[in-house]
Amino acid sequence: MTAALDCPQPHVRNWHADRALSQAAGSALKTRPDYRHHDVALEHLDALSPVLTNGYYNHAPMVVEALSAMGQGREALAWLDREQDSFTPVDARTGPIDPDDWRELIAARGRYADWRAYFQDALETQPWREVAAIWVNRLTFGFSSSAAHGVLQTAHAVRALQSDATPARLRALANALAGWASRHSSLPIKDQPNQGVLDFQAALNWIKPLSDKHAPGEGAITAGYAQLVHAPGFAEEVSLVDLSGDLDARFDALMAVMAKLFLSLARTPYTVIVFTHAVTGTAAARTLSQIVPDAVGRQLLFRAFEHGAALKTAFTPLALQSEAPRKPLPPGDPARRAARHGDDHMIKLTEAVLDAYRRTHNPVFLDVIAQAFAVLPEPDAR
């Protein structure tokens, strides 16, 4: 009897999958920014509070810039029209900000209008890069403030200014820094000296999730951060991460690790939103690292890692209650599809991973887009 041949079977090509991935990749590589409509959209946002009617952070300044960055800026005004009922106006000013007392005045949520006026004045007399660099350095220890939306909004404002420093974009930076300063907070942990012994993936593997007893359910992401008091080893675990090497390359490596974290745990609409912040927070930190000294850039790198690790610690138990989705295929034109989808997190996530894909050609970023679209329904379908 002839023995069965023990050899690998030929790979069967899935031409449908190959075509979908090729289309998505080609579209990603061809995507170009279009800021022609950006300043008009910003004018609609200038008098708005950073807080929505439901109490959550206003994503609109981030969304309109993300749309412009991925060539969909013409959709910004229509998006704002759909969302206008959720916006709230800026409160009245209560008094000037004394820059010598800034440590005492950050985290004063009733002082947003005062901080806004302070940053507007600063940006009229100083170069915007100088103002941004000083305050990113001062505020970075509160990276996770409002689920990292202060960092995110500031990074979107900075990127638009790198294209053209118009008055509307300078006001957008003032608004972003004011939102970060007035809602500033840090994670409920005590920093440990960085040990620098593990790469990002190995260090993230050391991060332990909360017990089911202390794990948060669906709700504000910041409620999950509060539960870190029940993770006594967290600060030491995140201190293991190695921050050395070329900073841009390290950010790209961290983006890939956070993309894999998303693919592992973004299983429901809620957990898609949660772990979107791990990816977009890292992208925002990378943008801000380009305008600050190297030492501050590495602090941003660490805080971005810490932020993603905090999300893993807090929300892994909730995520694992649902089955992992089957691997879907990305849309052929992700930027246009995200703009049409309309969800604020979908738009920001798509832009962040398209930008990462253009730099690295790493297909993990196309997988993130595919999974997000597969799991998160369009707003009208919820």
Side-chain angles (χ1 to χ4, degrees):
M1 179 182 296
T2 304
L5 295 176
D6 185 13
C7 61
Q9 297 299 307
H11 175 66
V12 178
R13 295 288 297 273
N14 184 332
W15 294 106
H16 176 65
D18 287 352
R19 184 169 181 268
L21 289 168
S22 177
Q23 286 180 337
S27 176
L29 294 174
K30 290 187 293 184
T31 299
R32 294 292 182 271
D34 179 3
Y35 285 95
R36 289 175 296 173
H37 308 276
H38 188 57
D39 288 12
V40 175
L42 289 179
E43 296 290 348
H44 287 69
L45 300 173
D46 197 39
L48 298 183
S49 163
V51 183
L52 299 174
T53 54
N54 62 9
Y56 289 132
Y57 206 92
N58 186 351
H59 292 194
M62 301 166 253
V63 169
V64 299
E65 195 281 331
L67 286 168
S68 295
M70 59 181 179
Q72 301 294 315
R74 62 188 178 279
E75 303 294 337
L77 290 177
W79 187 91
L80 290 173
D81 285 343
R82 292 194 298 270
E83 300 293 324
Q84 63 181 339
D85 289 344
S86 65
F87 300 148
T88 61
V90 175
D91 292 334
R93 293 178 59 184
T94 62
I97 296 292
D98 183 346
D100 293 332
D101 291 335
W102 69 267
R103 289 181 178 84
E104 303 299 322
L105 296 174
I106 60 172
R109 295 197 173 194
R111 304 295 301 273
Y112 169 76
D114 300 331
W115 275 109
R116 179 172 175 261
Y118 169 80
F119 286 119
Q120 286 177 343
D121 289 345
L123 289 165
E124 287 180 1
T125 59
Q126 302 171 56
W128 72 263
R129 290 175 183 272
E130 180 179 315
V131 174
I134 289 171
W135 284 94
V136 168
N137 182 28
R138 290 176 173 178
L139 298 174
T140 290
F141 77 95
F143 188 97
S144 296
S145 304
S146 298
H149 287 113
V151 174
L152 286 160
Q153 187 177 351
T154 301
H156 283 285
V158 162
R159 185 168 57 184
L161 282 165
Q162 289 173 323
S163 173
D164 190 7
T166 66
R169 298 180 199 188
L170 289 170
R171 291 194 299 273
L173 177 59
N175 295 343
L177 290 170
W180 193 358
S182 64
R183 301 178 66 82
H184 195 271
S185 62
S186 55
L187 296 177
I189 61 173
K190 185 177 180 180
D191 285 349
Q192 300 288 326
N194 180 253
Q195 301 179 54
V197 294
L198 296 177
D199 66 23
F200 292 125
Q201 188 62 65
L204 193 64
N205 291 344
W206 271 94
I207 303 298
K208 301 178 184 66
L210 290 169
S211 66
D212 290 342
K213 176 182 177 181
H214 298 299
E218 295 190 5
I221 291 174
T222 50
Y225 298 153
Q227 295 301 97
L228 290 177
V229 297
H230 301 293
F234 179 81
E236 184 174 1
E237 290 161 6
V238 295
S239 75
L240 297 173
V241 70
D242 179 12
L243 304 172
S244 64
D246 178 79
L247 195 55
D248 284 344
R250 298 297 283 148
F251 269 113
D252 285 340
L254 182 57
M255 276 290 290
V257 168
M258 291 304 163
K260 292 173 185 176
L261 179 67
F262 179 96
L263 293 173
S264 173
L265 296 176
R267 303 179 176 196
T268 65
Y270 178 75
T271 51
V272 164
I273 291 170
V274 168
F275 291 101
T276 285
H277 293 84
V279 178
T280 57
T282 302
R286 186 185 189 279
T287 296
L288 294 179
S289 73
Q290 298 167 2
I291 64 163
V292 296
D294 183 81
V296 181
R298 292 188 194 279
Q299 273 300 302
L300 285 163
L301 182 65
F302 172 72
R303 296 301 181 186
F305 173 78
E306 179 187 57
H307 172 64
L311 295 174
K312 177 187 175 184
T313 294
F315 291 100
T316 292
L318 177 64
L320 294 182
Q321 293 176 16
S322 302
E323 293 185 3
R326 296 179 61 183
K327 186 174 181 180
L329 297 174
D333 188 345
R336 186 175 181 184
R337 174 76 181 278
R340 193 165 65 242
H341 186 285
D343 180 85
D344 43 4
H345 295 95
M346 181 68 75
I347 290 169
K348 294 189 297 173
L349 176 66
T350 300
E351 187 281 318
V353 293
L354 285 178
D355 187 49
Y357 182 79
R358 283 195 298 273
R359 290 194 308 271
T360 67
H361 294 192
N362 187 336
V364 71
F365 297 117
L366 300 181
D367 291 340
V368 167
I369 292 172
Q371 186 160 317
F373 278 111
V375 178
L376 188 63
E378 296 187 21
D380 291 342
R382 297 179 196 174

